[in-house]
Amino acid sequence: MTNPRKFLLLILTGFWLLSSNSLNAKSVSVSSPNQSIVFTLSDDNSSPRYSVSFKGQLIIEPSNLGFTFADSPALSQGLAISDYQLSQSDSTWQQPWGESQFIRDHHNELMVKLEAPNNPSHQYTLRIRVFNDGLGFRYEVPAISQKTILITDELTEFKFAHSENYQAWWIPAQGWNRYEFLYQNTPFDKIDRVNTPFTVRNKSNVHVSIHEAALTDFASMTLDQRRPGTFKSSLVPWSDGIKVKKSGAFSTPWRTIQLANSAKGLLNSQLILNLNEPNKLGDVSWVKPGKYIGIWWGMHLGVNTWGSGTKHGATTQEAKRYLDFAAKYGFDGVLVEGWNIGWDGSWFSNGDVFSFTQAYDDFDLKAVTDYAKSKHIKLIGHHETSGSVTNYRNQMADAYDLYQQLGVTQIKTGYVADGGNIKRLDEKGRAIKEWHDGQFMVNEYLFSVTEAAKRKISINTHEPIKDTGLRRTYPNWLSREGARGQEFNAWGSPPNDPAHTVNLVYTRMLSGPMDFTPGIFNLAFNGLDAENRVQTTLAKQLALYVVIYSPIQMAADLPKHYLERLDAFQFIRDVPTDWKTSVALNGEIGEWVTLVRQDKYSNDWYLGAITNEFAREIKIELNFLDKDKRYLAQIYRDGDKADWKTNPYDYIIEEKTVSAETVLNFKLATSGGVAIRFKAL
C-alpha cells in the first residue's frame, strides 16, 4: 500500500493512514492543502462512515455512506477498506466566461476501495477531493449485474456535530413551486426536507453549504432531516418510485461541503466549478455573454399578453421598436416571448399545443431577425414547453435548425409546470408525470444544451434543474433561473421581501449564475401601498447587476421607464457581464453583502452592495484596486431620505477620485444599495 518514506511524505502533504489492530478497523484521512479541513473515512464494524473537521472543530460527525438497490445487496454494511491511493493537484484553468477568468484547482485526493472481505465483487470506490474552501466526494460503482441497476435509496448522511448550535437558510424540497420559494431562516428543529445548496452557520461562526457538483444522468439530491441534525440524501424519484436507473458501472455526482469562517468565504469559493469536468465542446468563442432587453415585464404587468389579440406583445412592430432601443443604448439582444403558436387559452395546462417553428400571423420571424442583424443586435429565441417535454423533444431539431438558419444564437427555454407535473410520453404513448429534478429531467435538460451546442446556440433555462457547475463542461449553458425571480414582484403573494436577494447570494448563488432579471425602475407600478410592487430602492436595483451574477443580464423594465431616469440607467448601460475577477468583501447571510468585480476587458472595477429591510452603514476599503492607478468613482447610492416603503426613488449620483488607499462610507437605506463604477484614469 505504501512504504515508510512515501508515508512520511504523505503526512507532510496532508494524508495519513491510521489503523486500530484491537478493533480490526482502519481509518484513512486526507486534509486540505492548508491543513484546515480534514476528511476521515473509517470502516469500524464493517460500516463505512466519514467525518469532517474544520480548523480543529468537528463539523460532520461519523455519517453513513452507501446505497440500496431493488435487485442487489445494499452497498452499506459488511464493507472494509481494502486499498487506497493518494495524490495531489495544483493547476490553474481558464473560463471562457465567468465571475473570474482564471480558477486555481488546488486539492488533495484520496481514493478508497471498500469491499466485502469474503466477496470482492461487492465493492465501490469513494473518491474524495479536499480543497482549502471545502471538499467533494463521489461513489464509483463497478457493474453490479447484467440488468439495469435500480437504486432505491442513497444512504449518505450529513450529521452535524452539536446541531443545536446551528441556524439554517433553506427552501423546501419537492414542493409544488420547484425552487421558487422565499428562503426561511430557522434552527434545525424547524426543518423537514430541503433543497440544496443548503447553507448553515454555527455559533462558532463556521459557515457550511451542502450541495452537489456535476449532476448528470442521476437524480437530484435533496436532504431529509431524520434525527435532529442528521440530514440524509433523499434522491428525487422517477414516477415509478425508483430513484436512479443505471446500466453497468457508474459514478455519482459529487456530494459537496463548502466550509468557511465567514459568510464572504462561502462566496469566494470555486469548489463547485473545480469538481466539474473541463469543457467538452471545444472552441466556444461563439458563446457570447451580454445584456438584453425584452417584452417580458410587460406581460407580467398585464400591459401585453403572450397570447394573440389586441395586446399581443410579440408583434413584428413591437420587436423592431425594442431592437431600435437596444441599438441606441448599447444592448446585445432582445428577447421576444409569445411569438410562436400555442399561447392562446390555457397554455399552462396544455403544453402539447405549442409549435416551436410556426409564428403568429402578426410576427414575421425572418423579418425580425433580418432587422436585428441590420442593427447588429441578436434576437434571443424563446421556447416555453409548459412541461410537455415530449412535445418539445419531437420538435427540438427542427426548432434549433430554424434558429440556426436565422442567426438566433441564444434561447431562453421554459418548463412552467407544478413540481411533479412534467409530462412525458412513454414508448406506448401513455402520459407519465415526472419531477423537474428527477433523473429523467436531469437528462432532458442536458440534452437540450448539447443539441443546441451542435448548432452554436446557447441556453438560458427557466424552471430548470438546479445548477451544479456544468457550465464549465458545457459553456453554452449560460444561465438559468432556479429561484424566485423578479416576476413575483408583479403578481406574487407575497412578493419578494427585502431580504430575498441578500439570501439568494448566500444560498442559490453558491451553485452558479441566475437570470434574476433586475433593473426595475418603476418600483411601485400599483402604488406605494400595494402588495405587488418591488420592495427595494432604485439604487438596490442597480447594485443587483454586480451582486446577482449572470453572464447575461436583462434590463427588465419597460423602455419608457428608463427614458425617465437616463442618469441612473447609465450604470446598467456601463456594467459588464464578463469578469476578470470577483471578490466578496463583507456581509452576513440574509443581512447584507458587498461584492466587487473587475471588467475582463478593461482596468475598471464595479461594486455592488445591498441590504435587507434594515438600513445600515457600511465601510468599504478600496485595497482591491490597482495600487499604481487612480480611479474616478461613479457612485449611485441611496439618498438621505430613501426608504423602500415610502421613498424608493431617492438616489444620488456623484463622482469622486479614489485610489487603493481610499476608504468609502455609505448609508444604505432600508432594502437599499449602492452601485459604483471605478473608472481607471
Side-chain angles (χ1 to χ4, degrees), residues 310-334:
T310 57
K311 295 199 299 183
H312 189 210
T315 67
T316 301
Q317 181 180 0
E318 187 75 343
K320 288 183 176 181
R321 186 173 74 87
Y322 272 81
L323 287 164
D324 289 340
F325 184 89
K328 182 174 181 179
Y329 291 101
F331 288 85
D332 305 288
V334 171

Side-chain angles (χ1 to χ4, degrees), residues 15-35:
F15 306 101
W16 58 93
L17 179 71
L18 305 175
S19 63
S20 173
N21 294 326
S22 60
L23 296 177
N24 196 30
K26 292 185 287 297
S27 176
V28 60
S29 298
V30 57
S31 74
S32 57
N34 66 2
Q35 308 289 307

Side-chain angles (χ1 to χ4, degrees), residues 23 50 112 135 189 228 267 442 537 548 564 590 595-596 598 603:
L23 296 177
Y50 79 96
V112 184
L135 62 93
D189 62 6
L267 307 188
V442 165
T537 66
I548 303 292
E564 294 167 358
L595 289 109
V596 293
Q598 185 180 17
N603 292 315

Side-chain angles (χ1 to χ4, degrees), residues 495-506:
N496 297 330
D497 59 37
H500 181 58
T501 47
V502 187
N503 282 325
L504 287 179
V505 173
Y506 297 101

Side-chain angles (χ1 to χ4, degrees), residues 367-441:
V368 171
T369 53
D370 287 345
Y371 190 76
K373 291 175 189 175
S374 73
K375 296 284 184 176
H376 304 289
I377 307 294
K378 61 192 174 197
L379 178 71
I380 298 175
H382 183 250
H383 290 161
E384 176 56 61
T385 69
S386 294
S388 292
V389 294
T390 301
N391 180 50
Y392 188 41
R393 169 74 82 106
N394 290 340
Q395 299 183 61
M396 190 180 290
D398 290 341
Y400 288 5
D401 286 346
L402 174 63
Y403 274 155
Q404 183 184 33
Q405 294 163 12
L406 296 172
V408 174
T409 59
Q410 287 182 16
I411 304 173
K412 174 183 174 181
T413 59
Y415 297 81
V416 174
D418 285 352
N421 262 7
I422 287 288
K423 178 184 175 182
R424 68 175 175 90
L425 301 181
D426 68 10
E427 62 279 1
K428 296 182 179 180
R430 296 172 298 192
I432 307 292
K433 297 295 182 70
E434 303 286 358
W435 290 95
H436 285 73
D437 42 359
Q439 183 184 15
F440 172 79
M441 280 305 297

Side-chain angles (χ1 to χ4, degrees), residues 494-559:
N496 297 330
D497 59 37
H500 181 58
T501 47
V502 187
N503 282 325
L504 287 179
V505 173
Y506 297 101
T507 52
R508 159 67 180 84
M509 299 308 300
L510 297 179
S511 69
M514 179 182 177
D515 189 29
F516 180 79
T517 58
I520 302 302
F521 277 22
N522 183 23
L523 299 162
F525 35 84
N526 294 326
L528 289 174
D529 296 328
E531 177 185 23
N532 286 117
R533 53 159 296 188
V534 180
Q535 297 187 5
T536 74
T537 66
L538 191 140
K540 185 173 180 178
Q541 287 293 306
L542 298 180
L544 291 177
Y545 283 90
V546 180
V547 171
I548 303 292
Y549 172 68
S550 177
I552 49 171
Q553 291 279 26
M554 186 180 197
D557 210 339
L558 308 182

